Amino acid sequence: MAAGREHFGSRFAVIMAMAGSAIGLGNIWRFPYMVGENGGAAFILVYILSSFLLSLPIFFSEAVIGRSTHANTFGAMRQLAPGTPWRWLGLLTILSPVIILSYYSVVGGWSVEYLLKSLALQFRTPEAAAGFGGFISSTWGPLVCHTVFLALCAAVILGGVKSGIEKFSKLTMPVLFVLIVLIMIYSLSLPGASEGVRYLVKPDFSKLTPSAVAAAMGQSFFSLSLGVGTILTYASYIHKDENLLVSGAGTAAFDLVFALLAGFAVMPAVFAAGIEPAAGPGLVFETLPHIFAKMGLASPWLSSGVAILFFITILVAALSSAISMFEVGVAYLVEEKGISRRTATLGLFAFAWTLGALCSLSFGPLSGFKLFGETLFSFCDKLTSNFLMTFGGLLFTLFVGWKMDKMRVRNELTNGGSLPMNGRLFGIIYFMIKWVAPVVIGIIFVTNLLL
Ligand code: PHE
């Protein structure tokens, strides 16, 4: 174990930090519209199955690598497989989270703008709610917001693992749950909300095409922050006596519950307002303000209050995820390159800011610049969520299932045999890591390549 390395202080801290990484825009911004586009409950069903059968094995693979080495992704690979090409996996999983951080911070920036707008009580008229397209395609506003968002992340990262990440997560995660439950109760109380509930619970299997199935699985990886080294890095801050199975299952459960709560907070409101559910990524920034405005005509204070709570929720959820992406690169630079935490944070800030700024401009002035037919923003999104995350997840499970010593894996999951785990449970988990997850993830990866 590296000298002077920080650790999370308790099991609660571990689960809050990991849940902080997992719960993010993926749950609030992506999940509801993906459910809307891909057949409601049928999609949710595949999503839940995939969370348990595929995502947890990847989660445990990353956690085993991180905790057994107490190192950053590159250092971990170097320790476990010195002198082999596996170090490229270490490097890949430093690059992918920085790319995600760049475009994620642009969307995080939108939530800064929308929070400010709601604090200025602007969502009281339908006109105010209609400006999303105009805002994101403008030059300066989104850039300023992107900068603010990234600076907030950097501030938490500078605080370190215990006083930065741990403190922030322990404080904000419980608040997030309270907020989303309040919003959900409000949304469910709207007239016409039951349509939205029916939509979420009634499966439409006809929409469950192979690409919808791949999307559900991809969403479950994205939501649990898998395949890009964030879980590995956070796990490297876990003490040897913590139970990895419990932390993993706890994190996955929180993430799933939060996604469902967000679905039940968003969809009933969408139906109550008589809006098409498959509205795409604009759902939370375009549709919801419209709904707030509609409500505002009847009760301006209530609608402004709900809008404020909603955008605080999005902003905080996005921040706690973004800091986990940030930390992967910082851990690497500090431990492998001997740079101070401060310089590493500034360096990564500069890189993510630049790529993020280009992504932001790709909605406006740079919209004509295309990579493989996509704008830079959508290219970075697709590259990471369709390819790099699945590829990283695939390689992590292959590494733990085929390359790492089985005894070491077992020791890590049972804390050297001190945790009671019967052989059958370990056998099942190991089988999932070694066979099921790589085969299915491999199929998804190839499907994504071909589709
Ligand atoms: N899980 C986060 C979300 O749901 C996104 C994320 C991806 C975070 C990869 C870290 C790493 O928004």
Side-chain angles (χ1 to χ4, degrees), residues 21-27 97 100 104 221-226 228 230 255 321-322 324-325 389:
S21 170
I23 295 171
L25 294 170
N27 303 58
I100 302 179
Y104 201 89
F221 299 160
F222 186 84
S223 194
L224 265 179
S225 314
L226 298 172
V228 293
T230 44
D255 184 53
S321 297
S324 72
M325 304 167 200
M389 293 187 98

Side-chain angles (χ1 to χ4, degrees), residues 329-361:
V330 169
Y332 165 74
L333 290 174
V334 170
E335 291 170 12
E336 303 297 318
K337 302 284 166 207
I339 298 175
S340 74
R341 192 167 181 91
R342 175 177 262 257
T343 315
T345 306
L346 283 178
L348 273 176
F349 179 94
F351 183 86
W353 186 87
T354 310
L355 183 57
L358 295 173
C359 287
S360 177
L361 294 173

Side-chain angles (χ1 to χ4, degrees), residues 25-38 107 110 114 123 129-130 132-133 136 187 196 199-200 259 262-293 310-311 314:
L25 294 170
N27 303 58
I28 311 172
W29 173 68
R30 236 160 162 261
F31 182 76
Y33 83 75
M34 289 209 121
V35 173
E37 280 175 351
N38 295 298
V107 184
W110 300 345
Y114 273 67
F123 294 126
F132 180 65
I136 62 169
S187 174
Y199 185 79
L200 287 172
F264 282 105
V266 172
M267 282 305 163
V270 170
F271 276 86
I275 290 171
E276 174 56 31
L283 186 64
V284 298
F285 291 104
E286 226 167 355
T287 312
L288 288 182
H290 185 72
I291 295 168
F292 297 140
F310 187 74
F311 290 113
I314 298 198

Side-chain angles (χ1 to χ4, degrees), residues 12 204 300 306:
F12 180 67
D204 177 359
V306 178

Side-chain angles (χ1 to χ4, degrees), residues 1 44 55 64 83 100 110 141 152 157-158 180 184 206-207 215 269 296 305 360:
M1 189 189 311
I44 297 183
S55 298
V64 160
I100 302 179
W110 300 345
L152 289 173
I157 290 291
L158 279 177
I180 198 78
M184 183 186 74
S206 69
K207 285 208 182 140
S360 177

